[in-house]
Amino acid sequence: MKHLLSTGDLDRADAIRILDTAAQMAATQDRAIKKLPTLRGRTVVNLFFEDSTRTRISFETAAKRLSADVINFSAKGSSVSKGESLKDTALTLQAMGADAVVVRHQASGAPHTLAHSGWTHGAVINAGDGTHQHPTQALLDAYTIRRHLVGTGGGTGTSGTGGLGQDLAGLHVAVVGDVLHSRVARSNVELLHTLGARVTLVAPPTLVPVGVEAWTADVSYHLDEVLLDGKPDAVMMLRVQRERMSTAGGGFFPSPLEYTRGYGLDARRLASLPEHTIVLHPGPMNRGLEISADAADSPRAVIVEQVANGVAVRMAVLYLLLAGEHTSVRVDGE
Ligand code: NCD
């Protein structure tokens, strides 16, 4: 059985294979008829215990573009709100013949439990678990960075080879904001490192996780310094995750205004960056908090493109896990 639970499970060859397959998938998406017959007759279940807009729609679109049958399950409005457990929910889905289960859960480790429980025989794809991992987000971020900054002869154009077959060696990525609560940051640090990029995490000390020394990234508390002296090729802004802060931000930073002053990306900070630098954000954005409207809407921001790339990347992951008998996306478990 093959699963995608964590970017830590991917070696360089696995990651490049997924990114290259995503590029092939993206090429099919310019056609008038976008649907491929690849997963006809297969069933993909989207099992979302936590809110999501982009990720859920993106997985649904990806599965449908590959002609799979899609069952969308969200905890709200289901028997989960009556207290049904992950186990019983999974057994129900198994009875419906799920070939893949895309799971988002508020508990870190829930996809791992599902993958190793025997409750489902399908491939398990982690679509975000607690503060732990969000591997397809990191893959779409890496895909977006590669498309812009590798094999294009520099600049922010999307022409050129888009880096097919290449990794991100030599690039510097700044990941800025609420690292503590961010599964996006964790997944990205691992994947970017695997792909050869250098990562600097930038956050107030209160939003840096304990044990960060063991991560494959540098840590700074000074955004202006990193932007000006570090000359990052990509700046990834993270959402301030107020729903994971028990006292509405009270314990983590003095006030939203002070957070923005210290760690928000605005037009002034944007102007201090090299010309080719791109700006990413996984969404949903808190405009005016971690990113100003003019930064979010600037030509350097590739935030909308990230969403489009997410479909191609998820098509690639579904394809490699469900159809690619001869692929070696990390075999997890058996
Ligand atoms: C992220 C998530 O849910 O982890 N968003 C996403 O998947 N597009 C990041 C976030 O919620 O801040």
Side-chain angles (χ1 to χ4, degrees):
M1 175 59 69
K2 296 172 188 174
H3 308 289
L4 178 59
L5 302 177
S6 163
T7 49
D9 295 337
L10 302 173
D11 63 21
R12 180 180 177 280
D14 294 329
I16 289 179
R17 183 175 304 108
I18 296 171
L19 300 186
D20 286 355
T21 308
Q24 289 166 1
M25 293 295 173
T28 68
Q29 297 305 296
D30 298 333
R31 302 178 189 159
I33 295 167
K34 297 185 167 52
K35 229 173 157 124
L36 307 174
T38 325
L39 296 184
R40 198 152 45 198
R42 315 298 291 274
T43 300
V44 175
V45 175
N46 281 326
L47 185 58
F48 278 66
F49 292 89
E50 205 184 68
D51 294 343
S52 171
T53 306
R54 270 154 288 267
T55 306
R56 191 178 57 71
I57 292 173
S58 180
F59 268 110
E60 180 175 355
T61 307
K64 286 183 170 164
R65 297 267 165 91
L66 293 169
S67 303
D69 293 324
V70 181
I71 299 173
N72 284 315
F73 173 100
S74 71
K76 273 185 201 132
S78 77
S79 290
V80 170
S81 52
K82 298 180 188 164
E84 188 162 33
S85 66
L86 177 62
K87 175 175 178 174
D88 290 323
T89 307
L91 290 173
T92 304
L93 300 173
Q94 179 54 31
M96 290 174 187
D99 294 295
V101 180
V102 176
V103 60
R104 169 169 288 197
H105 202 284
Q106 57 282 1
S108 298
H112 189 271
T113 303
L114 193 59
H116 298 284
S117 60
W119 302 332
T120 174
H121 302 309
V124 176
I125 302 173
N126 183 359
D129 60 329
T131 59
H132 179 227
Q133 276 278 327
H134 192 354
T136 57
Q137 178 69 43
L139 286 162
L140 77 87
D141 293 334
Y143 179 85
T144 305
I145 292 170
R146 191 175 80 162
R147 224 174 110 82
H148 277 272
L149 300 173
V150 180
T152 58
T156 56
T158 52
S159 58
T161 62
L164 268 190
Q166 295 184 55
D167 63 15
L168 305 179
L171 295 180
H172 179 205
V173 181
V175 177
V176 184
D178 185 357
V179 177
L180 179 65
H181 299 105
S182 181
R183 53 199 178 202
V184 174
R186 280 170 184 72
S187 294
N188 262 292
V189 165
E190 286 182 333
L191 184 66
L192 290 168
H193 176 71
T194 300
L195 288 170
R198 182 161 73 86
V199 180
T200 305
L201 297 166
V202 190
T206 50
L207 290 174
V208 172
V210 173
V212 78
E213 317 75 55
W215 295 26
T216 48
D218 295 328
V219 179
S220 167
Y221 305 132
H222 308 289
L223 181 59
D224 285 314
E225 220 172 87
V226 171
L227 297 186
L228 207 63
D229 305 334
K231 302 196 186 344
D233 302 289
V235 178
M236 185 181 297
M237 302 306 297
L238 300 172
R239 183 172 65 87
V240 175
Q241 302 201 13
R242 282 181 279 204
E243 80 280 16
R244 297 191 207 275
M245 299 178 186
S246 48
T247 51
F252 292 94
F253 46 84
S255 72
L257 186 65
E258 285 189 53
Y259 182 87
T260 303
R261 274 205 202 118
Y263 299 94
L265 187 68
D266 57 12
R268 176 184 67 79
R269 287 187 167 134
L270 211 57
S272 74
L273 287 163
E275 205 151 314
H276 70 272
T277 304
I278 57 170
V279 173
L280 298 101
H281 191 301
M285 289 186 275
N286 293 307
R287 281 174 183 253
L289 185 56
E290 72 266 3
I291 190 164
S292 70
D294 43 12
D297 298 331
S298 93
R300 286 146 173 265
V302 295
I303 299 165
V304 178
E305 199 192 309
Q306 283 173 272
V307 178
N309 291 341
V311 174
V313 164
R314 287 167 180 130
M315 285 173 79
V317 168
L318 287 168
Y319 168 77
L320 290 169
L321 288 178
L322 294 186
E325 309 279 72
H326 306 293
T327 63
S328 65
V329 169
R330 193 63 165 208
V331 177
D332 202 289
E334 288 108 325

